[in-house]
Amino acid sequence: MTDIEIARSIKMKRITEIGEQIGIDNETLEPYGHYMAKIPLEVMKREGKKGKLILVTAITATKAGIGKTTVSVGLTLGLNKIGKKAVVALREPSLGPCFGMKGGAAGGGYAQVLPMEKINLHFTGDFHAVTSAHNMISAMLDNYIYQHRNEGRALKEVLWKRVLDVNDRSLRNIITGLGAATDGVPSQAGFDITPASEIMAILCLSSDLDDMRRRIGNILLGYTVDNAPFTVNDLGITGAVVSLMLDAIKPNLVQTTEGTPAIIHGGPFANIAHGCNSVIATRTALSVADYVVTEAGFGADLGAEKFYNIKCRKSGLKPSLTVLVATLNGLKMHGGTALEHIKEPDAEGVRKGLANLDRHIANLQSFGQRVVVCFNKFASDTDEEIAIVKEHCKALGVDFSVNNAYNEGGEGATDLARIVVENIENKESGELRFTYSDRMPLKEKISAVAKNIYGAANVNFSAKSSKQLANAERLGFGHFPVCIAKTQYSFSQDQKAYGAPTDFDFDIMDIVINAGSEMIVAIAGNIIRMPGLPKEPQALHIDVVNGEIEGLS
């Protein structure tokens, strides 16, 4: 059966029953229909449970996917199967990839979060709120420029773009304000995808409503003619923007395929943003469960690095353990196996691809993390090839488990769950270490990630990026962490450099100052923040048949 057929075959519990499992009563929950609800922020502050946090990340991504969400859900089901009270905390899917390449992002098989169609599409409206809040700032900023254009209060430079939750390459660079004089001031502009919005980053890094207000007010929109920063506070609309985010700041409660609670909130991509769900959702889950499983997007060089260096640094969160997901298809691709032969046995390709696994293990251990390798099993995998990976991990002294939650649900992840619990409960966990200190200059922070995590030999900064970094430090933002936007398909900026490349040049072309979310975004190579659609987008296969949505996967 397909993912959507499996999802529909499962009789869901009412959301009030899911809430009761984690001590949230009917009066507290804010239902969105029968099977989804918002969780008020006060739940996060309850005294009681102080759960252990488990991060799920992966080897370098492939276009076929690695299965982090399936493993995250499966591990949570496995933990519940062995008698532990566990909750999974995930990001929300974006409509861009759903209608573009992926077709869905709610897990797979018998390790999904439900209701699958609603989670993948409009859900509770959080993405719409982020889009509306972001674009309201754009409209108000354009109006400010128009209304004050003859008063000497014009802005010398505007930094703020618009966003939409679509993949649309035609919107990357546009001209606004064309037409009559009353239609606005003509200017060059553009769109990013909603997951790249600074409002999305603020949603996911805010500790509460007051913190969100502070961050939104500090968003840097541009510079005045005398080179002073111009912010949302200067525009005078901070409260209006916060009003659009009043419901979106609350995390969403849904359920897994086995009727256990799942909390889903926020959705920044890890290749163009920081790739983690919200701090509020993670803390809420930790307040109601013994174990919380969360994921960080794409490979560990992106999602996990940003999880530690940005999310943990700013929130004080610390994972007790990190699970690194690998697949035979992924290892073969990184070992040089041709794409058309990826599902065929190739022991040599697997062995060569282990270099990518090794680099990720070493990187995760550099953060002080204990690592468990989870092998995500596919139907075409052979026992002989799996044994190669298992023996290799054994030689490294890293625990290894095969995950079959896709086919078997929680039962297929009980071995992984036991190994994870054994490591957390019986083995000492080291202190979380960061790649760089707050005090380091921004260029040195970027270089530290590029050289120590990616394997670059040299980091080259364009004249434009050097000027922007100097300006960021002039404005007092030098203590911010850095968020590098780069391809997810390689450690380098070249998406075709598979395996574990080293000694390459790494080029920083542009810098975005996120003064509200309090991080500096460095654009590496030709990475773009508004994706395009493939030749055959998934939207061609999505339809409504007999009142039900088909084509999501």
Coordinates of all heavy atoms in Angstrom, one line a residue, residues 175-244:
I175 N 10.4 43.3 -10.5 CA 10.3 44.8 -10.3 C 8.9 45.1 -9.8 O 7.9 44.6 -10.3 CB 10.5 45.5 -11.6 CG1 11.9 45.2 -12.2 CG2 10.4 47.0 -11.4 CD1 13.1 45.7 -11.4
T176 N 8.8 45.8 -8.7 CA 7.5 46.2 -8.2 C 7.3 47.7 -8.4 O 8.2 48.5 -8.7 CB 7.5 45.9 -6.6 OG1 8.5 46.7 -6.0 CG2 7.6 44.5 -6.4
G177 N 6.0 48.1 -8.3 CA 5.7 49.6 -8.4 C 5.6 50.1 -9.8 O 5.6 51.3 -10.0
L178 N 5.5 49.2 -10.8 CA 5.3 49.7 -12.2 C 3.9 50.2 -12.4 O 3.0 49.9 -11.6 CB 5.6 48.5 -13.1 CG 7.0 47.9 -13.1 CD1 7.0 46.7 -14.1 CD2 8.0 48.9 -13.5
G179 N 3.7 51.1 -13.4 CA 2.4 51.7 -13.6 C 2.4 53.2 -13.3 O 3.4 53.9 -13.5
A180 N 1.3 53.7 -12.9 CA 1.1 55.1 -12.6 C 1.9 55.4 -11.3 O 2.3 54.6 -10.5 CB -0.4 55.4 -12.5
A181 N 2.0 56.8 -11.1 CA 2.7 57.2 -9.9 C 2.0 56.8 -8.6 O 2.7 56.6 -7.6 CB 2.8 58.7 -9.9
T182 N 0.7 56.6 -8.7 CA 0.0 56.1 -7.5 C 0.1 54.6 -7.3 O -0.4 54.1 -6.3 CB -1.5 56.5 -7.7 OG1 -2.0 55.9 -9.0 CG2 -1.7 58.0 -7.7
D183 N 0.8 53.9 -8.2 CA 1.0 52.5 -8.0 C 2.2 52.1 -7.2 O 2.6 50.9 -7.1 CB 1.0 51.8 -9.4 CG -0.3 51.9 -10.1 OD1 -1.3 51.9 -9.4 OD2 -0.3 51.9 -11.3
G184 N 2.9 53.1 -6.7 CA 4.1 52.8 -5.9 C 5.4 53.3 -6.5 O 5.4 53.8 -7.6
V185 N 6.5 53.1 -5.8 CA 7.8 53.5 -6.2 C 8.5 52.3 -6.9 O 8.7 51.3 -6.2 CB 8.6 54.1 -5.1 CG1 10.0 54.5 -5.6 CG2 7.9 55.2 -4.4
P186 N 8.8 52.4 -8.2 CA 9.4 51.2 -8.8 C 10.7 50.9 -8.1 O 11.5 51.7 -7.8 CB 9.7 51.7 -10.2 CG 8.7 52.8 -10.5 CD 8.5 53.5 -9.1
S187 N 10.9 49.6 -7.9 CA 12.1 49.1 -7.2 C 12.3 47.6 -7.6 O 11.4 46.9 -7.9 CB 12.0 49.3 -5.7 OG 10.9 48.5 -5.2
Q188 N 13.6 47.2 -7.5 CA 13.9 45.8 -7.7 C 13.6 45.1 -6.4 O 14.0 45.5 -5.3 CB 15.4 45.7 -8.1 CG 15.8 44.2 -8.4 CD 17.2 44.1 -8.8 OE1 17.9 45.1 -9.2 NE2 17.8 42.9 -8.9
A189 N 13.0 43.9 -6.5 CA 12.6 43.1 -5.4 C 12.7 41.6 -5.7 O 13.3 41.3 -6.7 CB 11.2 43.5 -4.9
G190 N 12.0 40.8 -4.9 CA 12.1 39.4 -5.1 C 11.3 38.6 -4.0 O 10.9 39.2 -3.0
F191 N 11.2 37.3 -4.2 CA 10.5 36.4 -3.3 C 11.5 35.3 -2.8 O 12.3 34.8 -3.6 CB 9.3 35.8 -3.9 CG 8.1 36.6 -4.0 CD1 7.9 37.5 -5.0 CD2 7.1 36.4 -3.1 CE1 6.8 38.3 -5.1 CE2 5.9 37.2 -3.1 CZ 5.8 38.1 -4.2
D192 N 11.4 35.0 -1.5 CA 12.0 33.8 -1.0 C 10.8 32.8 -0.7 O 9.7 33.2 -0.7 CB 12.8 34.0 0.3 CG 14.0 34.8 0.1 OD1 14.6 34.7 -1.0 OD2 14.5 35.5 1.0
I193 N 11.1 31.5 -0.5 CA 10.1 30.6 -0.1 C 9.8 30.8 1.4 O 10.7 31.2 2.2 CB 10.4 29.2 -0.4 CG1 9.2 28.2 -0.3 CG2 11.6 28.7 0.4 CD1 9.4 26.8 -0.8
T194 N 8.6 30.6 1.9 CA 8.2 30.9 3.2 C 9.1 30.2 4.3 O 9.4 30.9 5.3 CB 6.7 30.5 3.5 OG1 5.9 31.3 2.6 CG2 6.3 30.6 4.9
P195 N 9.6 29.0 4.1 CA 10.5 28.4 5.1 C 11.8 29.2 5.3 O 12.5 29.1 6.3 CB 10.8 27.0 4.6 CG 9.6 26.7 3.8 CD 9.2 28.0 3.2
A196 N 12.2 30.1 4.3 CA 13.4 30.9 4.5 C 13.1 32.3 5.1 O 14.0 33.1 5.3 CB 14.0 31.2 3.1
S197 N 11.8 32.6 5.4 CA 11.4 33.8 6.0 C 12.0 34.0 7.4 O 12.1 33.1 8.2 CB 9.9 33.9 6.1 OG 9.5 35.0 7.0
E198 N 12.5 35.2 7.7 CA 13.0 35.5 9.0 C 11.9 35.3 10.1 O 12.1 35.0 11.2 CB 13.6 36.9 9.1 CG 14.3 37.1 10.5 CD 15.1 38.3 10.6 OE1 15.2 39.1 9.6 OE2 15.7 38.6 11.7
I199 N 10.6 35.6 9.7 CA 9.5 35.3 10.6 C 9.4 33.8 11.0 O 9.2 33.5 12.1 CB 8.2 35.8 10.0 CG1 8.2 37.3 9.6 CG2 7.0 35.5 10.9 CD1 8.1 38.2 10.8
M200 N 9.7 32.9 10.0 CA 9.7 31.5 10.3 C 10.8 31.2 11.3 O 10.7 30.4 12.3 CB 9.9 30.7 9.1 CG 10.0 29.2 9.3 SD 8.4 28.5 9.9 CE 7.5 28.4 8.3
A201 N 12.0 31.8 11.1 CA 13.1 31.6 12.0 C 12.8 32.1 13.4 O 13.1 31.5 14.4 CB 14.4 32.2 11.5
I202 N 12.2 33.3 13.5 CA 11.8 33.9 14.7 C 10.7 33.0 15.4 O 10.8 32.7 16.7 CB 11.2 35.3 14.5 CG1 12.4 36.2 14.2 CG2 10.4 35.8 15.7 CD1 11.9 37.6 13.7
L203 N 9.8 32.5 14.7 CA 8.8 31.5 15.3 C 9.5 30.4 15.9 O 9.1 29.9 17.0 CB 7.8 31.0 14.2 CG 6.9 29.9 14.5 CD1 5.8 30.3 15.6 CD2 6.2 29.3 13.3
C204 N 10.5 29.8 15.3 CA 11.1 28.6 15.8 C 12.2 28.8 16.8 O 12.6 27.9 17.5 CB 11.8 27.8 14.6 SG 10.5 27.1 13.5
L205 N 12.7 30.1 17.0 CA 13.7 30.4 18.0 C 13.2 31.1 19.2 O 13.9 31.3 20.2 CB 14.9 31.1 17.4 CG 15.7 30.3 16.4 CD1 16.7 31.2 15.6 CD2 16.4 29.2 17.1
S206 N 11.9 31.6 19.1 CA 11.4 32.4 20.3 C 11.1 31.5 21.5 O 10.7 30.4 21.3 CB 10.1 33.1 19.8 OG 10.3 34.1 18.8
S207 N 11.3 32.1 22.6 CA 11.0 31.3 23.9 C 9.6 31.5 24.3 O 9.1 30.6 25.1 CB 12.0 31.7 25.0 OG 11.9 33.1 25.2
D208 N 9.0 32.6 24.0 CA 7.6 32.9 24.4 C 7.1 34.1 23.6 O 7.8 34.6 22.7 CB 7.5 33.1 25.9 CG 8.4 34.2 26.4 OD1 8.7 35.2 25.6 OD2 8.8 34.2 27.5
L209 N 5.9 34.5 23.8 CA 5.3 35.6 23.1 C 6.0 36.9 23.2 O 6.2 37.6 22.2 CB 3.8 35.8 23.5 CG 3.0 36.7 22.6 CD1 2.9 36.2 21.2 CD2 1.6 36.9 23.2
D210 N 6.5 37.2 24.4 CA 7.3 38.5 24.6 C 8.6 38.4 23.8 O 9.0 39.4 23.2 CB 7.6 38.7 26.1 CG 6.3 39.1 26.9 OD1 5.3 39.6 26.2 OD2 6.3 38.9 28.1
D211 N 9.2 37.3 23.8 CA 10.5 37.1 23.1 C 10.2 37.3 21.6 O 11.0 37.9 20.8 CB 11.1 35.8 23.4 CG 12.5 35.6 22.8 OD1 13.3 36.6 22.8 OD2 12.9 34.5 22.3
M212 N 9.1 36.7 21.1 CA 8.7 36.9 19.7 C 8.5 38.3 19.3 O 9.0 38.8 18.3 CB 7.5 36.1 19.3 CG 6.9 36.3 17.9 SD 5.5 35.4 17.5 CE 6.3 33.8 17.0
R213 N 7.8 39.1 20.2 CA 7.6 40.5 20.0 C 8.9 41.3 19.9 O 9.1 42.1 19.0 CB 6.7 41.1 21.1 CG 6.5 42.6 21.0 CD 5.8 43.1 22.2 NE 4.4 42.7 22.2 CZ 3.4 43.3 21.6 NH1 3.6 44.4 20.9 NH2 2.2 42.8 21.6
R214 N 9.8 41.0 20.8 CA 11.1 41.6 20.8 C 11.9 41.4 19.5 O 12.4 42.3 18.8 CB 12.0 41.1 22.0 CG 13.4 41.7 22.0 CD 14.2 41.0 23.2 NE 14.4 39.6 22.9 CZ 15.4 39.2 22.1 NH1 16.2 40.0 21.5 NH2 15.6 37.9 21.9
R215 N 11.9 40.1 19.1 CA 12.6 39.7 17.9 C 12.0 40.3 16.6 O 12.7 40.8 15.7 CB 12.6 38.2 17.7 CG 13.5 37.5 18.8 CD 13.3 36.0 18.7 NE 14.1 35.2 19.7 CZ 15.3 34.8 19.4 NH1 15.9 35.0 18.2 NH2 16.0 34.1 20.3
I216 N 10.7 40.3 16.5 CA 10.0 40.9 15.3 C 10.3 42.4 15.2 O 10.6 42.9 14.2 CB 8.5 40.6 15.4 CG1 8.2 39.2 15.1 CG2 7.7 41.5 14.4 CD1 6.7 38.7 15.3
G217 N 10.3 43.1 16.4 CA 10.6 44.5 16.4 C 12.0 44.8 15.9 O 12.3 45.9 15.3
N218 N 12.9 43.9 16.1 CA 14.3 44.1 15.7 C 14.7 43.7 14.3 O 15.8 43.9 13.9 CB 15.2 43.3 16.7 CG 15.3 43.8 18.1 OD1 15.0 45.0 18.3 ND2 15.6 43.0 19.1
I219 N 13.7 43.2 13.5 CA 14.0 42.8 12.2 C 14.6 44.0 11.4 O 14.0 45.1 11.4 CB 12.8 42.3 11.5 CG1 12.3 40.9 12.1 CG2 13.0 42.1 10.0 CD1 11.0 40.4 11.6
L220 N 15.7 43.8 10.7 CA 16.4 44.8 9.9 C 15.8 44.8 8.5 O 15.9 43.9 7.8 CB 17.9 44.5 9.9 CG 18.7 45.5 9.1 CD1 18.7 46.9 9.7 CD2 20.2 45.0 9.0
L221 N 15.1 45.9 8.2 CA 14.5 46.1 6.9 C 15.3 46.8 5.9 O 15.1 46.6 4.6 CB 13.1 46.8 7.1 CG 12.1 46.2 8.1 CD1 10.9 47.1 8.2 CD2 11.7 44.8 7.6
G222 N 16.2 47.6 6.3 CA 17.0 48.4 5.4 C 17.8 49.5 6.1 O 18.0 49.4 7.3
Y223 N 18.3 50.5 5.3 CA 19.1 51.5 5.9 C 18.6 52.9 5.4 O 18.2 53.1 4.3 CB 20.6 51.4 5.5 CG 21.2 50.1 5.9 CD1 21.3 49.0 5.1 CD2 21.7 49.9 7.2 CE1 21.8 47.8 5.5 CE2 22.2 48.7 7.7 CZ 22.3 47.7 6.8 OH 22.8 46.5 7.2
T224 N 18.7 53.9 6.3 CA 18.3 55.2 6.0 C 19.4 55.9 5.2 O 20.5 55.4 5.0 CB 18.0 56.0 7.2 OG1 19.2 56.1 8.0 CG2 16.9 55.3 8.1
V225 N 19.1 57.1 4.7 CA 20.1 57.9 3.9 C 21.3 58.2 4.7 O 22.4 58.4 4.1 CB 19.5 59.2 3.3 CG1 18.5 58.8 2.3 CG2 18.9 60.0 4.4
D226 N 21.2 58.2 6.0 CA 22.4 58.5 6.9 C 23.0 57.2 7.4 O 23.8 57.2 8.4 CB 22.1 59.5 8.0 CG 20.9 59.0 8.9 OD1 20.3 57.9 8.5 OD2 20.6 59.7 9.9
N227 N 22.7 56.1 6.7 CA 23.3 54.8 7.0 C 22.9 54.2 8.4 O 23.6 53.3 8.9 CB 24.8 54.8 6.9 CG 25.4 53.5 6.4 OD1 24.8 52.9 5.6 ND2 26.6 53.2 6.9
A228 N 21.8 54.6 8.9 CA 21.3 54.0 10.2 C 20.3 52.9 9.9 O 19.6 52.9 8.8 CB 20.5 55.1 11.0
P229 N 20.3 51.8 10.7 CA 19.4 50.7 10.4 C 18.0 51.1 10.6 O 17.6 51.9 11.5 CB 19.9 49.6 11.5 CG 20.5 50.4 12.6 CD 21.2 51.6 11.9
F230 N 17.1 50.5 9.8 CA 15.7 50.8 9.9 C 15.0 49.5 10.1 O 15.1 48.5 9.4 CB 15.2 51.4 8.5 CG 13.8 51.9 8.6 CD1 13.4 53.1 9.1 CD2 12.7 51.1 8.1 CE1 12.1 53.6 9.1 CE2 11.4 51.5 8.1 CZ 11.1 52.7 8.6
T231 N 14.2 49.4 11.2 CA 13.7 48.1 11.7 C 12.1 48.1 11.7 O 11.5 49.2 11.4 CB 14.1 47.8 13.1 OG1 13.5 48.8 14.0 CG2 15.7 47.9 13.2
V232 N 11.5 47.0 12.0 CA 10.1 46.9 12.1 C 9.6 47.8 13.2 O 8.5 48.5 13.1 CB 9.6 45.5 12.4 CG1 8.1 45.4 12.8 CG2 9.9 44.6 11.2
N233 N 10.4 48.0 14.3 CA 10.0 48.9 15.4 C 9.9 50.4 14.8 O 9.0 51.1 15.2 CB 11.0 48.9 16.5 CG 10.7 47.7 17.5 OD1 9.6 47.3 17.6 ND2 11.8 47.3 18.2
D234 N 10.9 50.7 13.9 CA 10.9 52.0 13.3 C 9.7 52.2 12.4 O 9.1 53.3 12.3 CB 12.2 52.2 12.5 CG 13.4 52.3 13.4 OD1 13.3 52.9 14.5 OD2 14.4 51.7 13.0
L235 N 9.2 51.1 11.8 CA 8.0 51.2 11.0 C 6.8 51.3 11.8 O 5.7 51.8 11.3 CB 8.0 49.9 10.1 CG 7.1 49.9 8.9 CD1 7.5 51.0 7.9 CD2 7.3 48.5 8.1
G236 N 6.8 50.9 13.1 CA 5.7 51.1 14.0 C 4.6 50.1 13.9 O 3.5 50.3 14.4
I237 N 5.0 48.9 13.4 CA 3.9 47.9 13.2 C 4.2 46.6 13.9 O 3.6 45.5 13.6 CB 3.7 47.6 11.7 CG1 5.0 47.0 11.1 CG2 3.2 48.8 11.0 CD1 4.8 46.4 9.7
T238 N 5.1 46.6 14.9 CA 5.4 45.4 15.6 C 4.2 44.7 16.2 O 4.0 43.4 16.0 CB 6.4 45.6 16.8 OG1 7.6 46.3 16.2 CG2 6.8 44.4 17.5
G239 N 3.4 45.4 16.9 CA 2.2 44.8 17.5 C 1.3 44.2 16.4 O 0.7 43.1 16.6
A240 N 1.1 44.8 15.3 CA 0.3 44.3 14.2 C 0.8 43.0 13.7 O 0.0 42.0 13.4 CB 0.2 45.3 13.1
V241 N 2.1 42.9 13.5 CA 2.7 41.6 13.1 C 2.5 40.5 14.1 O 2.2 39.4 13.8 CB 4.2 41.8 12.7 CG1 4.8 40.5 12.3 CG2 4.4 42.9 11.7
V242 N 2.7 40.8 15.3 CA 2.5 39.9 16.4 C 1.1 39.4 16.4 O 0.9 38.2 16.6 CB 2.9 40.5 17.8 CG1 2.5 39.5 18.9 CG2 4.4 40.8 17.9
S243 N 0.2 40.2 16.1 CA -1.3 39.8 16.1 C -1.5 38.7 15.1 O -2.4 37.9 15.3 CB -2.2 41.0 15.9 OG -2.1 41.5 14.6
L244 N -0.8 38.8 14.0 CA -1.0 37.7 13.0 C -0.4 36.4 13.4 O -0.7 35.4 12.8 CB -0.4 38.2 11.6 CG -1.1 39.3 10.9 CD1 -0.3 39.8 9.7 CD2 -2.5 38.8 10.4

